[in-house]
Amino acid sequence: MSEITSTDHKFDKKSLMAHWKGKKLTNKSTIERYIKDAKKAQSFCRDNNVNVSAYLKSAGDHLYVKVSEQGTAFWVFKYTFNKKRGESEIGRVDFITFAEAREKAFEKNKQLAAGLDPKIEKKKSKSGQFFTLNDLADHFFSKKTTKTLYKDIGRYNKHIRNALGEYPLTQISPTDIETQLETIKAKNIPTATNKVLSQLKQIFKLGIKLGVIPYSPAAEFDSHDAGGTERARKRTLNLDEVKLLYRAIDENIYQFQIINRHAISLLLMLGVRKMELLAAKWEEFDFENKVWMLSADRIKTEDDNDKEKKDFHIPLPQTSIDILLKLKAMSYSDYVFPARNRRTKEPHASESTLNAAIKKLFSLNQLSIPHFTVHDLRRTFSSLLASLKTPPHIKERSLNHAIKGSEGVYDQYDYFSERQSALLDLEYVLRDTIALRQ
């Protein structure tokens, strides 16, 4: 079955429905293609200032795939009961297989046949469906749609699932919470301890809301009980350290890998956030006009639901284009940096990829500079711009930071040409250093 392609002049809701008319969702492959096409249609509408709709497609026996306005795919059960239409959500396509969804739909069809409303039956069973902390946590994660979802699940699995997860919810005490926080603190990872505490508070809050538990055993704990107040990192690399970094990379290129070298170079030259780069798709880049068009839904902010977020257009210096074209020549994916482990749920490179590569350089005793992380490269980008006398507001906009205070409210100018000039100055400084040695 063909997909809607990027060469189609138009793929809005009407053309999506026409393309899939008469076609059925019969297996995992067709479901994935439908979801992909629905997201393309939503992207087209978004780009053309047309209202973005949620899309539904039947998978048989009242089971549907629903792609929300935000592009998240769910299994839903649609039915008619007492001459009224109803809809009961089964769960996210990411977490529930086609076979599992059909089994759940079968149970709901049995409820209909017995004269029961599936939606009401689901509500009735809810208070008794969460027995352990893991039960409640799994439900909590099934409702989340944030970009950090997989990282949040990983953190829970690492620190809580085996330690407290099988405890009955009504038997978890504040002492249990304190013991686990102390265990994590002993590993000297204060950031993780704070985030685990925050996560537990959110999970228990949901339990209270659903009437599963009367109170939260984590309610009285704060950052002082967890990792303490986190200090902002200040590490930046100066130009000499950047040169030493590239020398070490090139002397150990087979261990570090050329694709990681290209990623480091793009982060230093463009100042984007790590996952904005690693999750980038080729369709975002306009090489002819030398622009990377980063959509609002891919931009990380403190509030992922921030409705004020805007698309961000990043000027591309020629050196960055040259690197991207080299990556394009070896590409086999829609993603600039595709996943290298087939077992990962994400189709693009994971969040730990670059830090793991840097850590390996240090473990090989090949880097004679103080330790740094990938995020420190963004701070390095900012410092290098400052050293080139880039005006502060241009530097902040190059980082896609909002201009603070009342000035930011009234100053909505994008400063694209000024940012372009600043990145060209930075390119001149970095070009020889990041040039690939033959």
Side-chain angles (χ1 to χ4, degrees):
M1 185 188 299
S2 63
E3 298 177 5
I4 296 175
T5 67
S6 58
T7 57
D8 293 335
H9 72 285
K10 176 181 180 182
F11 42 97
D12 56 6
K13 182 176 182 179
K14 185 176 179 181
S15 57
L16 175 75
M17 294 174 68
H19 181 81
W20 281 88
K21 185 177 181 181
K23 298 172 183 175
K24 297 180 179 179
L25 303 181
T26 56
N27 53 43
K28 180 181 178 181
S29 178
T30 55
I31 290 166
E32 288 176 346
R33 282 200 293 268
Y34 175 73
I35 293 171
K36 185 175 181 180
D37 284 350
K39 290 182 178 181
K40 286 182 179 178
Q42 290 174 333
S43 179
F44 174 85
C45 293
R46 200 173 285 115
D47 292 343
N48 289 273
N49 294 320
V50 177
N51 287 336
V52 177
S53 303
Y55 297 135
L56 278 166
K57 180 69 179 174
S58 173
D61 296 326
H62 301 287
L63 178 65
Y64 285 76
V65 171
K66 179 178 182 179
V67 182
S68 71
E69 291 91 335
Q70 292 76 34
T72 304
F74 295 89
W75 297 110
V76 295
F77 183 80
K78 290 180 66 68
Y79 61 97
T80 301
F81 185 80
N82 286 342
K83 298 182 180 181
K84 292 183 179 180
R85 292 181 179 179
E87 181 177 305
S88 178
E89 184 182 303
I90 291 175
R92 286 179 53 156
V93 174
D94 287 348
F95 303 129
I96 298 177
T97 66
F98 189 19
E100 291 169 339
R102 283 191 295 187
E103 188 175 318
K104 291 178 183 291
F106 177 74
E107 292 299 321
K108 292 180 184 294
N109 276 311
K110 282 174 61 177
Q111 292 172 348
L112 279 176
L116 302 172
D117 185 335
K119 194 168 186 177
I120 292 177
E121 293 306 304
K122 181 179 179 181
K123 287 182 178 179
K124 284 181 180 178
S125 66
K126 212 156 202 177
S127 61
Q129 86 182 75
F130 308 119
F131 178 68
T132 67
L133 176 57
N134 282 345
D135 293 335
L136 182 59
D138 290 341
H139 180 67
F140 170 79
F141 290 125
S142 75
K143 295 294 183 182
K144 289 193 73 174
T145 58
T146 60
K147 289 177 284 188
T148 61
L149 175 62
Y150 293 110
K151 187 174 182 180
D152 294 340
I153 293 174
R155 185 182 298 113
Y156 178 86
N157 290 344
K158 181 176 181 179
H159 298 294
I160 300 298
R161 185 168 293 278
N162 294 329
L164 294 176
E166 292 306 314
Y167 281 35
L169 278 166
T170 54
Q171 295 180 24
I172 298 176
S173 68
T175 302
D176 295 322
I177 302 297
E178 181 185 40
T179 299
Q180 189 54 26
L181 292 177
E182 290 296 329
T183 300
I184 305 170
K185 279 172 66 176
K187 298 176 183 178
N188 196 28
I189 42 177
T191 299
T193 317
N194 280 322
K195 288 183 177 178
V196 166
L197 175 58
S198 173
Q199 197 172 67
L200 285 172
K201 285 188 171 186
Q202 293 176 57
I203 293 170
F204 288 129
K205 184 178 180 180
L206 175 63
I208 296 171
K209 188 181 294 185
L210 296 176
V212 178
I213 50 176
Y215 77 100
S216 166
E220 298 304 317
F221 293 92
D222 57 28
S223 62
H224 297 291
D225 303 300
T229 304
E230 297 173 34
R231 290 181 292 179
R233 287 182 60 86
K234 297 181 180 181
R235 175 78 168 102
T236 63
L237 281 70
N238 58 42
L239 271 177
D240 288 336
E241 289 179 319
V242 172
K243 291 175 182 177
L244 289 171
L245 168 62
Y246 276 94
R247 181 185 300 171
I249 289 174
D250 291 338
E251 289 174 354
N252 300 272
I253 194 63
Y254 294 109
Q255 294 94 332
F256 194 82
Q257 297 187 18
I258 188 67
I259 194 169
N260 290 334
R261 186 190 198 278
H262 289 329
I264 294 293
S265 298
L266 291 171
L267 289 172
L268 276 171
M269 294 187 68
L270 304 178
V272 294
R273 298 172 178 88
K274 174 176 60 180
M275 291 314 298
E276 290 171 352
L277 178 67
L278 295 185
K281 288 186 172 182
W282 288 114
E283 63 190 24
E284 299 173 8
F285 295 89
D286 181 349
F287 292 123
E288 184 177 347
N289 293 303
K290 299 186 176 183
V291 179
W292 175 6
M293 295 165 288
L294 190 59
S295 62
D297 62 341
R298 288 241 301 110
I299 295 171
K300 178 184 176 183
T301 62
E302 290 184 4
D303 179 7
D304 280 337
N305 297 314
D306 182 5
K307 295 181 179 179
E308 297 300 318
K309 287 195 295 186
K310 298 178 181 178
D311 295 349
F312 187 55
H313 289 187
I314 303 165
L316 294 174
Q318 187 58 47
T319 303
S320 67
I321 292 177
D322 293 341
I323 292 171
L324 287 163
L325 290 177
K326 288 175 183 176
L327 289 166
K328 182 75 170 172
M330 63 175 79
S331 176
Y332 56 88
S333 168
D334 292 337
Y335 289 89
V336 180
F337 296 93
R340 303 172 209 176
N341 185 342
R342 293 184 179 180
R343 292 175 295 177
T344 183
K345 291 184 177 180
E346 295 283 14
H348 50 73
S350 72
E351 190 167 12
S352 62
T353 298
L354 295 179
N355 275 325
I358 292 171
K359 186 176 180 180
K360 190 163 190 175
L361 277 184
F362 279 107
S363 70
L364 293 170
N365 295 319
Q366 296 298 313
L367 268 176
S368 56
I369 61 175
H371 187 271
F372 68 94
T373 67
V374 174
H375 190 72
D376 296 329
L377 299 179
R378 183 166 155 87
R379 198 175 297 107
T380 299
F381 166 86
S382 175
S383 297
L384 289 173
L385 286 185
S387 71
L388 294 170
K389 310 302 182 185
T390 304
H393 63 291
I394 304 301
K395 177 171 66 74
E396 289 301 297
R397 288 304 299 135
S398 296
L399 291 162
N400 198 15
H401 287 165
I403 298 174
K404 296 179 180 179
S406 59
E407 183 181 356
V409 175
Y410 295 103
D411 187 352
Q412 298 295 312
Y413 180 52
D414 190 50
Y415 294 99
F416 182 87
S417 60
E418 292 87 349
R419 290 189 286 115
Q420 184 178 49
S421 178
L423 293 193
L424 288 174
D425 290 342
L426 181 58
E427 177 193 33
Y428 181 79
V429 171
L430 290 175
R431 185 169 51 204
D432 291 341
T433 299
I434 68 176
L436 188 62
R437 276 82 173 161
Q438 299 300 324

